[in-house]
Amino acid sequence: MKAVITKILMRAAVVCVIILPILYFMILHYRSGELRQEIPTIQKSLSLQSHLPPPGPCTCPGGSVLLKDHIPKDQYEKMAKRRAKELQQHKARTTSVLSRLLIALPNSPLQYPIQGFTVRPLTTTPIPGLALHAGQRSSYKVSLNVSKGVLTTENLAEGVKVQGGGGTRLIMESSSLVILNDALAKVIYTSTVYHIHTGDLASFQFENHEAVFPITIKQPQLPVLHDMGTDINSHVTIATKTFLRYPQLKLLLSSIRRFYSNIEVIIADDSFEPEHITGEHIRQYLMPPAQGWFAGRNLAVSQVTTKYFLWVDDDFLFTENTKIEKLVEVMEAVPELDVLGGTVQGNQFYFSLLYEEGEEMEGGCLYRKSQGKFQSLPGYPRCFLASGVVNFFLARTDAVQRVGFDPKLQRVAHSEFFMDGLGSLLVATCDHVSIDHQPKTGNDKDKAHYARFRNPGNSDVEFKLQLHFFKNHLKCVRYG
């Protein structure tokens, strides 16, 4: 009896082993048919993505200045049209197909590069990683399409048919998956468009499956390297701007020489009656009178030849805590940094910039949040990232030169440099390096004259707001 039961169980097990795989493949075939019906091809998805609505209007934080209210009514309409035209020019310069949203569908048998495939303009480059992973078929047929280049193959084995070689579309077919994949490994893309930084979107198709992957077309940049030399004097130049404050400037220079006897100092001077400043390692550049704060900054920074410059105001004072080397240490340890601020007489002023692009006609919303910060720098717990810092900072010379200081802003200007550099400059602040501020004195004969230029009138403020409306394409600004 026991032997009979054992024989029955063994037969049942054999039947299960035969039936279960058959059921599995039937279900798999049925579900794959459902998936092909339920999931649209990526071409349809991309079509939907390309018609996504543009960003909606941004919300102005409470207490914001509405910039439209500061544009003369008789000028607003024409200015808005000019601004819209300039925005389109800006987008043409800063966006490409590489900004396009791509969605990868599931269960694709296609293998392709999803990131990092970069070609030089007008050059030939093999496309890495192309392959097909499909089940048994009598024939395998794939196609590739591009728009800013041509597709070719070379040294193909027998058993693969190729159509369209040398054009923007390439079709390959073979009865052998191994031979087809060998041919796909030999597909070459040649860029036919010269551009220093643009892109192409390649379409890769097999049956109902389609994948789209980006090709970056980019002209490699020559590195611009700085020989750091052997000491702080070859690392950093001190830069400042002066106007009618020679007693303060001389005191600043004296304090610098107390701690850094040979460091280079650059002075941009737009005083009405310039006074020649003498001394070794001092360069004074005279400007037409009263050109303003940012014009002077531009001039001073344009003459820096070291990797870094330290910006100071002409009424600051170096102390034992003004250790430029400590700022350089942080910048060298975190090479992505562009600007690193310190403290002025214990004041570690910094801010974050919160920006929404908004919709095209109205413009964006900007919130300058005082004492706003982001995460700390790894390895430097006394330093953290921000969007802007105080007027005492170490900066990477070439990065600041690329952003520049808008010379239209003569007196109402500091945060505006960091606004123009938002998204370009990585900024941080530290509290372990400080500089002092000279005490105010009442015996400065030029004090009243200086105050007339230093303290902005209403027209300067209005001009700045109008500039933000047009140049920065803003709807509103809040200074918090």
Side-chain angles (χ1 to χ4, degrees), residues 142-439:
V142 297
S143 66
L144 284 157
N145 291 273
V146 294
S147 61
K148 294 182 180 177
V150 295
L151 299 166
T152 55
T153 58
E154 59 180 19
N155 301 323
L156 295 183
E158 293 184 3
V160 60
K161 298 178 183 177
V162 177
Q163 300 177 43
T168 59
R169 179 175 174 82
L170 180 69
I171 301 173
M172 309 177 78
E173 185 174 5
S174 176
S175 58
S176 167
L177 183 58
V178 173
I179 293 176
L180 180 66
N181 280 332
D182 180 69
L184 284 171
K186 297 175 181 177
V187 174
I188 295 171
Y189 175 88
T190 302
S191 162
T192 56
V193 173
Y194 182 81
H195 198 289
I196 60 171
H197 192 185
T198 186
D200 199 350
L201 293 179
S203 169
F204 186 23
Q205 293 178 307
F206 169 71
E207 295 180 352
N208 291 334
H209 303 279
E210 181 176 8
V212 176
F213 60 90
I215 302 173
T216 301
I217 303 171
K218 187 175 182 180
Q219 174 62 50
Q221 292 178 284
L222 282 171
V224 179
L225 308 179
H226 293 268
D227 185 354
M228 291 285 285
T230 57
D231 59 22
I232 193 65
N233 302 316
S234 57
H235 300 170
V236 178
T237 301
I238 297 175
T240 191
K241 154 77 173 59
T242 194
F243 176 69
L244 301 178
R245 295 205 295 192
Y246 291 112
Q248 290 89 342
L249 175 63
K250 291 175 181 178
L251 192 55
L252 167 67
L253 293 174
S254 177
S255 73
I256 291 173
R257 288 296 174 243
R258 181 182 167 198
F259 301 100
Y260 298 97
S261 57
N262 294 315
I263 200 166
E264 192 84 6
V265 180
I266 293 178
I267 304 163
D269 186 349
D270 62 346
S271 301
F272 285 99
E273 297 178 1
E275 180 179 328
H276 186 58
I277 303 299
T278 60
E280 291 188 11
H281 305 292
I282 292 176
R283 287 186 280 153
Q284 180 186 22
Y285 292 90
L286 301 180
M287 306 168 62
Q291 290 302 295
W293 178 230
F294 270 16
R297 273 191 170 185
N298 267 338
L299 174 57
V301 173
S302 73
Q303 299 306 304
V304 174
T305 59
T306 50
K307 184 175 182 177
Y308 302 112
F309 71 89
L310 182 77
W311 185 266
V312 296
D313 284 356
D314 60 356
D315 60 347
F316 284 172
L317 202 65
F318 274 55
T319 73
E320 293 84 355
N321 296 318
T322 313
K323 300 292 186 183
I324 305 175
E325 294 87 347
K326 291 185 177 181
L327 295 176
V328 172
E329 176 193 337
V330 177
M331 293 284 277
E332 287 290 293
V334 189
E336 300 93 337
L337 278 179
D338 298 302
V339 178
L340 183 63
T343 72
V344 179
Q345 212 156 356
N347 174 26
Q348 191 182 7
F349 173 74
Y350 52 86
F351 57 86
S352 59
L353 293 171
L354 309 178
Y355 171 57
E356 291 183 61
E357 290 183 82
E359 62 92 31
E360 287 194 359
M361 288 306 298
E362 284 192 335
C365 303
L366 185 68
Y367 177 20
R368 193 204 72 175
K369 186 179 181 181
S370 294
Q371 305 307 107
K373 62 183 180 179
F374 308 108
Q375 73 267 19
S376 62
L377 287 181
Y380 294 92
R382 300 181 69 176
C383 306
F384 47 83
L385 296 172
S387 300
V389 294
V390 73
N391 271 347
F392 169 56
F393 58 82
L394 186 74
R396 194 174 300 277
T397 303
D398 54 4
V400 170
Q401 287 173 344
R402 283 193 294 269
V403 174
F405 302 88
D406 192 338
K408 296 187 186 74
L409 296 166
Q410 295 185 315
R411 287 178 283 278
V412 188
H414 176 65
S415 302
E416 290 67 28
F417 161 68
F418 294 101
M419 292 177 183
D420 287 348
L422 184 64
S424 298
L425 300 176
L426 188 63
V427 181
T429 179
C430 299
D431 69 358
H432 66 293
V433 180
S434 66
I435 198 168
D436 271 4
H437 199 286
Q438 297 176 29

Side-chain angles (χ1 to χ4, degrees), residues 98 102 104 110-117 127-130 211-216:
L98 300 177
L102 301 177
L110 298 169
Q111 176 183 300
Y112 50 92
I114 62 171
Q115 179 177 296
F117 180 40
I127 301 178
L130 289 179
V212 176
F213 60 90
I215 302 173
T216 301

Side-chain angles (χ1 to χ4, degrees), residues 45-57 91 101 357-360:
S45 295
L46 284 173
S47 176
L48 290 173
Q49 296 303 327
S50 65
H51 292 89
L52 285 173
K91 288 187 173 183
L101 177 64
E357 290 183 82
E359 62 92 31
E360 287 194 359

